[in-house]
Structure formats: C-alpha cells, structure tokens
Amino acid sequence: MTVVTRFAPSPTGLLHVGGVRTALFSWLYARRMKGKFVLRVEDTDRERSTDEAVRVILEGMQWLGLDADEGPYYQTRRFDRYREVIAGMLAAGTAYHCYCTKQELDALREGQLARKEKPRYTGLCRSRTEPRPGVPPVVRFRNPTDGAVVVEDLVHGPVSFQNAELDDLIIARSDGTPTYNFCVVVDDMDMGITHVIRGDDHLNNAPRQMNMLRALGSTPPVYAHVPMILGPDGAKLSKRHGAVSVLQYEEEGFLPDALLNYLVRLGWSHGDQEVFTRDEMIAAFDIHDVNKAASAFNNEKLLWLNQQHMMRAPPARVVPYLQAQLRRIGIDSNDQTLLEGVILAQRERAKTLKEMAQSSRFLFVDSIEVDPQAAAKHLNPEGLGRLGQVRERLAALSEWTAPAINAALNELATQLAVGLGKIAQPLRVAVAGVAVSPPIDVTLGLLGRERTLLRLDSALARKTA
RNA sequence: GCUCCCUUCGUCUAGAGGCCUAGGACAUAGCCCUCUCAAGGCUGUAACACGGGUUCGAAUCCCGUAGGGAGCGCCA
C-alpha cells in the first residue's frame, strides 16, 4: 500500500514553525515511505481566511523545499462534493436535520455547565420527522451511542474514547455550508490519505472523524498526533512568543535546511546525531520515534545549527542565499568566485547569512567608514607608522595570494621584532573599518591589491591630518 | 466540571527492568589554540515532578497525587 500523507493548514493565521514542523513530519514520512504528500488548504472559514495567509503557506513551503505531489487543494472549491455526501448521509440516516435554535442550544449548554456536567447536545432532534416551521435546520451526524472508539495512534499508542462521551456534531450549518470536522473526513477519504499526521490538539477529534468515516463505509486512516511546539518561555506559541511567519526566518538569514533540521529534532531524535542533511533526515525519520511531550523553541540552538549548515554545505549552494541578503543591504554582486570566497572566510564567524552579509559589506563597496573606536585603538601613530612599511611590502608583492601576503607580513613582523598582531590589527582596521574580520591574509586576498592599497593610503592620510 | 493527553539537566533529547556513578547536543563557566573575532579541542556546573506499590533489582511496569496542555462552538 502506498503511503499518502497530507498537510492541511488553515489560512486563518500566518504559517509558523509549529505548522511547519507538522508539515515536515508528514513530508518526511511520505518521502521515507516512497509515498505521496498532499497539500490542502482548509479555507472553509471564509470570514477569517486571508489571501496573505495562503501566500505565506505557498511561499513558505516552497522556500523550505517541502514539495507536494498533489495540490494545493482548496476546500472552498469542493462545496458541491460536501453537499453530495451530506445528502447521501441524510438519505442513509447516518445524519439528520436538527431544528434546535442557537438560543436553545446556548441555554442547554449553560444549564449543563451550571450543573457541572460536560456540555453536549442531547439528541433532541434525533427522531424528529417533521420540520419546524421557520427554523432553517443544521445537519448533525448520528454518532453511535454505545461502545468505544479506539484510536491506534502511532505516537501515543491506543487511546480509547467512549461513544457516550461524544455527541452528535453539526456537519452542515443552517446556511448549508459544511463544517471543519466534516470536510476533513470527506477530504481525507476522497484523497486516499493513509496517514494523518497532525498536532495533538486534534486527538480529541479523531474518534468523531473515525465514526463518520465508518458511517461512510470508509476505513479510517492511521493517525499520528504529534506534540505541539511551545514558545521559548514554555508557554503556548503565540504572536508574542515567536509565532511569526515562517518567511521571517528567510529574512533573518536562515538556511531552509537548518530550520528543518532544527524542527525535526523537536520531538524526534536519531541516536546522538544533531546535524542532518535533507537526505539523512529522510533516511532516518520514522514517525514511531516521535515523542509525546511538547517542546519549547530554542533560538540559540537554531542559530548554532544554521552555522553548522553554512559550514558544511558546499559554498556554491550557499551563494544564492548570501546574494539575497546582500541585496537587502544594497549590494548586487554576481562574482561567483568572490562570493564563494566570502562564504568560506566568514561562515565560521556568522550565525546567519544576514550577519554574514553585514560583516562582509566592506569587501563589496568602494569606500568604507572607519569605526572611530577601532581607529583610536589601532590607527594611532604607532600603528600608522607600521602601515607605511606594510604598504611598501604589499605593493612590491609579485603575486596577490593569501600565502604570499601572509609570508610578507610575517617577515615584516620579524624584522620589526613585534608580534603579527601589531601589524595585523592596524591593517585590519584600515581595510575593513573595524577590528574584526577573517584572518588578515584571507581578508586582503578577497579585497584585492588595488583596494587594499587605496584603503591603506586613506588610512595613512590620517597621519598628517 | 467532564473527557483525553503529557511530565529526564535552563532548553532539545538518549534511555524498552540490571549496560545508569543517568549519555549526547545547545546554552553557560574554565582552559588550550590564536593576527582580531570566530570555529575547533579539552574540562566543569546541571535532570529522572512527588508518593505508594510490583520485583532480588525501576528513569524504565502498575496505582495515586501534583503540575501543565487539549477538547467539550452553526471556529479550524
């Protein structure tokens, strides 16, 4: 049997890391099992759904490389199908019209709550045969009244629910539109979903959905309810606590593989391995190894993983992402050799590509600003004195390579009987404008002789100024 | 209130009755390396929610308690 999983986000809020991880688990499982992954947008709530949210889902999934084999499907385009199924259930008696008004239902609920009972529909209209004039009816599912439903959950194990605890839920509103729990059931059935992997906030919905599926003569899929992701403070993920659009991570300079790697390790592990390539994730992932407990999002570890991925990936693969970040700060470079060189030089001192772009800016622009504090410390008379000699040496170099530069600087240091630092720091501030950069020979190599000498000249001009 | 779920270092996790003096990772502290900053290496601090059982033996099994979460909508 071919495995078919799906990701079914609702576009009522922006897709965030919690949703992404559910999508990732579904995608990984499908890929691992050589099955299919379906994307379905659950937009039946027309009031709260937004085009912006749909855009973030589509763009986010694309940025992350979580490619769907089918879809995106939209529930709003399937209303005819839902109506058809409801008509069938009405005819078969597995659903019935309910003429209770909202007001009556509210009163019922209040009474139950007041008596400290579980609020539930009592089945008043179950055996009603005549319509109630003037009341547009809703359609309710006729849930079995006795026995139990067991959800054989892949992460929780068997979870048993008494049918007596489940009431007859509304599957079509009085205006005829279908409700969420019903649409999910029809869609999962029609789309041949074999494994439903979703947040464990849906565990309570599973027994009702299984009952409906059975009433429709369909075999329920296998369920896997994965734990939720909490904010860094251990509280529920919310707007205030990191529930930002997934595209925010792109803007901040994260590699999609790093985010995915971080998220897959929230609730899942494979021995002591922390860093996974996409293929390694697919090869190692198994839904059975997913934990039951919710986990808190930790930004420091994400940062660390992002750097690990920047360091391990072939530079050429990182180039487009660096270019995107450079463009954000007004630099448009297509110099592949330079860009790869920058990545090689900077990746062990940057946590994000945004950071890398910023600290590499001096390598791409014509003129730089020198940080006053760094200048005060290193471009003092003593430092500037040495820079004159540095300039001579560098100008005389026959080839402009890091090893040649390094040799020349070390020679000069020995000759002056000082540590390399006494030469490298003034030089660094002169060419980079700050006291921090990759190794000085690498930095100069990337900068090029012409710009190096130019910047030395403008630094040396301070002497007289 | 009722139903369902969850509980190992600050955080993510390993752990399927003896391999646990509870392992790894992030973070954190110290040291090493060093032209700056990093990266890297080494070392340290730090956890089985609590109480009963079962067993020769329990982080692991059972029962409670506490704490947290979800659901109980003509929301998804």
Side-chain angles (χ1 to χ4, degrees), chain A residues 187-247:
Chain A
D187 287 344
D188 285 343
M189 177 176 74
D190 286 356
M191 296 168 193
I193 306 300
T194 61
H195 295 256
V196 169
I197 299 170
R198 69 210 325 185
D200 65 10
D201 48 336
H202 288 283
L203 183 53
N204 289 292
N205 289 330
R208 297 168 180 285
Q209 294 177 358
M210 288 174 73
N211 281 337
M212 282 191 274
L213 250 0
R214 284 180 179 139
L216 288 167
S218 178
T219 307
V222 174
Y223 292 95
H225 289 95
V226 305
M228 318 199 73
I229 293 181
L230 274 19
D233 57 354
K236 193 181 168 187
L237 210 52
S238 69
K239 286 256 157 43
R240 288 273 168 273
H241 295 85
V244 295
S245 155
V246 60
L247 294 177

Side-chain angles (χ1 to χ4, degrees), chain A residues 377-391:
Chain A
K377 188 165 180 191
H378 299 290
L379 296 183
N380 49 23
E382 194 188 3
L384 289 173
R386 296 194 189 103
L387 282 191
Q389 287 166 281
V390 169
R391 194 201 184 285

Side-chain angles (χ1 to χ4, degrees), chain A residues 163-322:
Chain A
N163 271 324
E165 292 293 335
L166 275 22
D167 60 0
D168 294 346
L169 79 164
I170 292 172
I171 59 179
R173 304 179 179 98
S174 45
D175 66 0
T177 58
T179 59
Y180 163 79
N181 265 298
F182 175 74
C183 296
V184 167
V185 159
V186 176
D187 287 344
D188 285 343
M189 177 176 74
D190 286 356
M191 296 168 193
I193 306 300
T194 61
H195 295 256
V196 169
I197 299 170
R198 69 210 325 185
D200 65 10
D201 48 336
H202 288 283
L203 183 53
N204 289 292
N205 289 330
R208 297 168 180 285
Q209 294 177 358
M210 288 174 73
N211 281 337
M212 282 191 274
L213 250 0
R214 284 180 179 139
L216 288 167
S218 178
T219 307
V222 174
Y223 292 95
H225 289 95
V226 305
M228 318 199 73
I229 293 181
L230 274 19
D233 57 354
K236 193 181 168 187
L237 210 52
S238 69
K239 286 256 157 43
R240 288 273 168 273
H241 295 85
V244 295
S245 155
V246 60
L247 294 177
Q248 183 93 33
Y249 291 91
E250 177 183 23
E251 281 178 35
E252 284 172 12
F254 288 94
L255 250 15
D257 284 15
L259 213 215
L260 258 22
N261 189 162
Y262 176 70
L263 292 177
V264 82
R265 284 285 291 99
L266 245 35
W268 175 84
S269 63
H270 183 66
D272 286 339
Q273 189 171 350
E274 294 288 351
V275 184
F276 294 82
T277 63
R278 200 169 275 254
D279 288 342
E280 285 172 336
M281 266 191 252
I282 293 171
F285 186 77
D286 192 334
I287 198 76
H288 296 89
D289 297 331
V290 173
N291 286 152
K292 301 172 183 183
S295 41
F297 193 91
N298 180 242
N299 212 54
E300 274 76 48
K301 188 156 182 182
L302 204 213
L303 251 10
W304 174 78
L305 264 174
N306 196 50
Q307 181 168 39
Q308 291 300 312
H309 277 266
M310 291 197 294
M311 291 196 293
R312 295 175 194 217
R317 262 204 51 225
V318 182
V319 166
Y321 298 102
L322 207 216

Side-chain angles (χ1 to χ4, degrees), chain A residues 351-403:
Chain A
K351 298 283 190 196
T352 67
L353 290 151
K354 183 177 186 172
E355 210 184 306
M356 187 186 288
Q358 282 162 349
S359 57
S360 302
R361 190 170 191 281
F362 76 97
L363 292 166
F364 294 91
V365 295
D366 289 331
S367 64
I368 58 163
E369 280 173 25
V370 177
D371 172 53
Q373 278 204 323
K377 188 165 180 191
H378 299 290
L379 296 183
N380 49 23
E382 194 188 3
L384 289 173
R386 296 194 189 103
L387 282 191
Q389 287 166 281
V390 169
R391 194 201 184 285
E392 271 177 45
R393 291 264 181 167
L394 293 179
L397 231 41
S398 58
E399 61 163 14
W400 193 258
T401 62

